[in-house]
Amino acid sequence: MSQHPLPTDLHLETLAVRLAADRSQYGENSEALYLTSGYVQPSAEASARRFAGEEDGYTYGRSGNPTVSSFEMRLAALEGSEAALATSSGMSSVMLMLFSLLKAGDHVVYSQSMFGSTLKLIGSEFARFGVESTVVSQTDLAAWQAAIRPNTKLLFAETPTNPLTEVCDIAALAYMAHNAGALLAVDNCFATPILQRPMAMGADIVMHSGTKYLDGQGRVMAGALCASEKLIKEKLLPVMKNSGMVLSPFNAWVVLKGLETLDIRMRAQSAHAHAMAQWLEQHPAVSRVYYPGLASHPQHDLALKQMSGMGGAVLSFDVKAADPQQARTRAFHVLDSLRTLSLCTNLGDTKTLLTHPASTSHGKLSEDQRQAAGIGQGMIRLAAGLEHLDDMKADLLRGLDTL
């Protein structure tokens, strides 16, 4: 079926709903889900050209799928990148990036406030293969600059971070990386391209856990890397084809449909998070709230400049306590008192999710590593959903008011 090409001047909200691979001959309005591992080739000669990369066309499920391509096209358009590559999870996208860009003797600089599994992957697993790394303070630009060596190939930042919501200056880090002949990668899971577009500020790679806000309803796992066509075709895609970290067509279809509501979800959930952060900041049982949208946040001005005037949908807070053991006990009491909201380690759902980072996402780190990252035993992370604000507050008060 013939299909008119989309105009080239569409807004992000429209691209999130409309951009996809061409419709099939049946003219489906909702993007098709192609559940196939192989593709019948038109001829032996065409098959040879496709496998050699000399002609466009699908050959095998590990190398490409129309549904996956639709997701990649749509995400790349939202992020403002030339291309995107979908993977089976957020951590598999980190793994793919590191495997594709680094070798023994290379050096990575990354934030000590990054996701716990990322810290372990770079600092422990890749160290076994001779990749050197230096962790630095998320917000200390001088520390980032001082850590760069002649063999530095990659700077890797997450902004805002999980769970402290620390914000780094993307443009400044891009300048440092490029001056050193290195690349800058940015984990954009918390902000999404609706609130923040790192490539517009100089980043070379944008990483996503599509499991979070891109899906938006906690249904599937997915990951992605956005970058230039050259970087994806020459570095990332060959490794993915050989390693098999591919996103399944069904998961791609789910996240593709999730992107259609990403804009309205992010704005609504960010507004809820802002209201909850302001409310928690006034509660006598709370010692501190971590949220970029609050004036009390150390990087508040930078966050609003980089994040389209909103602070995102995730916040964290510390319960008051005299020592770490009491802090852990009190945090657990608040979480165990929930009746409406969910005690769940994921985020990005339409349901509000709370978790205890010190025993979950950062539980595999040593106590010294947790302290260096600022993850206390009394910290609770809240990923705001779409419930009524009064119901969210009432559920938290069951625990906070009975400490």
Side-chain angles (χ1 to χ4, degrees):
M1 171 174 283
S2 63
Q3 180 175 333
H4 297 297
L6 288 174
T8 58
D9 57 350
L10 296 176
H11 293 80
L12 290 184
E13 297 90 335
T14 306
L15 291 172
V17 174
R18 290 289 178 179
L19 186 61
D22 288 345
R23 297 185 180 98
S24 74
Q25 69 271 31
Y26 301 111
E28 65 279 350
N29 188 51
S30 179
E31 292 78 19
L33 170 55
Y34 292 92
L35 293 177
T36 182
S37 56
Y39 303 87
V40 176
Q41 302 298 304
S43 69
E45 185 60 39
S47 175
R49 290 196 300 269
R50 289 177 179 183
F51 272 90
E54 299 168 355
E55 176 183 301
D56 289 337
Y58 296 101
T59 56
Y60 186 59
R62 185 156 43 82
S63 302
N65 174 279
T67 309
V68 177
S69 295
S70 289
F71 165 59
E72 292 169 339
M73 291 166 58
R74 188 171 288 180
L75 181 61
L78 293 178
E79 281 290 1
S81 64
E82 291 180 353
L85 192 61
T87 65
S88 56
S89 69
M91 285 310 302
S92 71
S93 69
V94 177
M95 188 79 161
L96 174 63
M97 177 179 69
L98 299 175
F99 256 126
S100 301
L101 301 179
L102 303 174
K103 63 183 186 303
D106 288 343
H107 177 246
V108 184
V109 184
Y110 62 111
S111 165
Q112 66 186 10
S113 302
M114 298 192 80
F115 181 53
S117 294
T118 303
L119 293 172
K120 293 288 287 185
L121 181 63
I122 299 175
S124 298
E125 306 305 333
F126 269 80
R128 295 190 295 122
F129 300 100
V131 174
E132 303 169 4
S133 62
T134 303
V135 292
V136 295
S137 169
Q138 166 84 359
T139 59
D140 188 346
L141 290 176
W144 284 90
Q145 183 63 64
I148 294 176
R149 307 174 186 171
N151 60 333
T152 299
K153 303 299 182 185
L154 180 69
L155 274 63
F156 191 14
E158 173 185 328
T159 184
T161 60
N162 177 23
L164 290 170
T165 71
E166 292 179 326
V167 177
C168 67
D169 190 326
I170 297 173
L173 292 183
Y175 180 80
M176 287 182 197
H178 299 159
N179 270 356
L183 300 176
L184 172 64
V186 174
D187 181 334
N188 201 29
C189 291
F190 270 34
T192 80
I194 301 304
L195 303 185
Q196 176 176 270
R197 303 178 86 198
M199 301 202 78
M201 293 174 265
D204 301 286
I205 303 171
V206 174
M207 170 263 164
H208 276 286
S209 172
T211 313
K212 312 301 191 296
Y213 291 103
L214 303 189
D215 170 20
Q217 295 187 48
R219 299 167 292 193
V220 299
M221 300 189 75
L225 295 170
C226 300
S228 67
E229 280 197 33
K230 178 180 174 65
L231 189 59
I232 285 181
K233 287 184 177 180
E234 295 183 3
K235 296 289 186 178
L236 302 175
L237 187 57
V239 174
M240 181 153 86
K241 286 181 177 179
N242 292 326
S243 65
M245 291 183 275
V246 62
L247 181 61
S248 74
F250 177 77
N251 287 12
W253 183 82
V254 171
V255 182
L256 177 70
K257 304 309 288 182
L259 288 178
E260 295 180 3
T261 59
L262 180 61
D263 182 81
I264 57 176
R265 284 189 286 104
M266 283 307 299
R267 297 186 188 282
Q269 288 173 249
S270 295
H272 276 186
H274 196 167
M276 291 297 293
Q278 291 175 315
W279 175 75
L280 284 165
E281 205 169 34
Q282 303 304 314
H283 196 282
V286 174
S287 61
R288 181 175 177 182
V289 178
Y290 306 82
Y291 182 66
L294 292 177
S296 58
H297 192 281
Q299 297 93 47
H300 174 69
D301 292 339
L302 175 62
L304 296 191
K305 177 184 175 182
Q306 287 188 170
M307 296 175 62
S308 304
M310 303 190 80
V314 179
L315 64 94
S316 295
F317 63 95
D318 292 327
V319 296
K320 288 182 179 178
D323 54 61
Q325 184 56 51
Q326 185 188 54
R328 184 183 178 96
T329 300
R330 285 174 157 242
F332 279 20
H333 171 76
V334 172
L335 294 169
D336 289 341
S337 299
L338 299 173
R339 296 295 178 269
T340 304
L341 309 181
S342 301
L343 172 57
C344 181
T345 55
N346 194 24
L347 59 95
D349 205 307
T350 52
K351 301 175 177 68
T352 296
L353 311 179
L354 294 96
T355 189
H356 182 252
S359 61
T360 57
S361 60
H362 292 70
K364 294 181 181 179
L365 302 182
S366 68
E367 188 58 35
D368 287 344
Q369 286 177 313
R370 277 195 295 272
Q371 289 181 4
I375 312 298
Q377 292 293 339
M379 177 178 287
I380 294 173
R381 190 192 71 195
L382 184 153
L386 294 175
E387 302 92 345
H388 194 284
L389 278 172
D390 290 346
D391 294 330
M392 294 167 65
K393 293 175 182 178
D395 211 31
L396 278 175
L397 286 177
R398 298 182 210 280
L400 291 174
D401 282 356
T402 56
L403 287 173

